[in-house]
Amino acid sequence: MRDRRTTTFIALLFVSGLLLGGTFMNLAEHYWFHMHPHNEYDIRQHRKIATEMGRRLHLTPLQVTEVDAVLRDTIGRYQKLETQLAPQFDALRQRDRAQLRDLLTPAQQLEFDKIVRHADTEYPINERPAVLSPVPCESASNPQPQE
């Protein structure tokens, strides 16, 4: 009787450890492993980059303004390229989705369509390239970097 209680206790302890460990791994994966570094540069934050370059490289105010202008020009070029390529990416995505749908039964196709709708709603980046998303800096017409 005593051995059975000990075995049950050890089994419950083991299972609770598994559950606790799984929970912590899930939280760690969600909050730490998939999170983007806060200090990662995003070219759409051109003024922040120009200001940081100015600070670290000891640039003159004129150089900071010129760096910001180059970065803004780069953003414009990225946006133009993304606009040109977006239809090709969309056509490829639609073709691949059609190929996947053709592999499925009618019942599976209905569920697949729900998954696709959810993905397009939940992750609009799939429908719009990151470079075309709104620029975090205010109007690009103001060439003065913010401090």
Side-chain angles (χ1 to χ4, degrees):
M1 177 91 158
R2 190 155 177 86
D3 288 334
R4 189 177 179 124
R5 278 180 61 190
T6 304
T7 304
T8 303
F9 178 74
I10 291 174
L12 286 174
L13 187 62
F14 179 74
V15 169
S16 65
L18 284 175
L19 292 173
L20 190 61
T23 301
F24 281 125
M25 279 305 296
N26 189 4
L27 288 172
E29 181 178 355
H30 181 74
Y31 289 106
W32 293 310
F33 300 149
H34 292 276
M35 144 175 132
H36 297 292
H38 293 292
N39 60 354
E40 184 176 286
Y41 284 124
D42 180 345
I43 193 164
R44 294 171 300 155
Q45 297 177 350
H46 52 89
R47 287 190 184 87
K48 181 178 176 183
I49 296 169
T51 301
E52 181 67 10
M53 285 180 65
R55 184 185 68 77
R56 292 184 67 183
L57 301 175
H58 309 290
L59 301 178
T60 67
L62 178 60
Q63 286 176 309
V64 172
T65 301
E66 291 170 341
V67 165
D68 186 58
V70 168
L71 294 174
R72 280 187 290 120
D73 182 57
T74 302
I75 292 169
R77 291 174 191 267
Y78 283 167
Q79 288 174 329
K80 184 178 180 183
L81 185 60
E82 291 283 1
T83 301
Q84 292 170 354
L85 294 177
Q88 294 174 34
F89 280 109
D90 188 51
L92 181 61
R93 180 176 41 254
Q94 295 306 325
R95 188 202 74 196
D96 291 345
R97 286 178 176 177
Q99 284 180 326
L100 290 171
R101 256 182 130 264
D102 289 344
L103 299 172
L104 305 174
T105 67
Q108 291 170 328
Q109 287 176 354
L110 291 174
E111 188 62 26
F112 177 75
D113 291 342
K114 287 180 188 176
I115 293 169
V116 167
R117 279 193 303 276
H118 174 74
D120 288 347
T121 302
E122 188 72 20
Y123 307 104
I125 194 93
N126 290 339
E127 295 299 318
R128 182 178 183 139
V131 173
L132 292 178
S133 62
V135 178
C137 292
E138 72 279 351
S139 171
S141 62
N142 179 5
Q144 293 296 332
Q146 292 183 345
E147 308 259 358

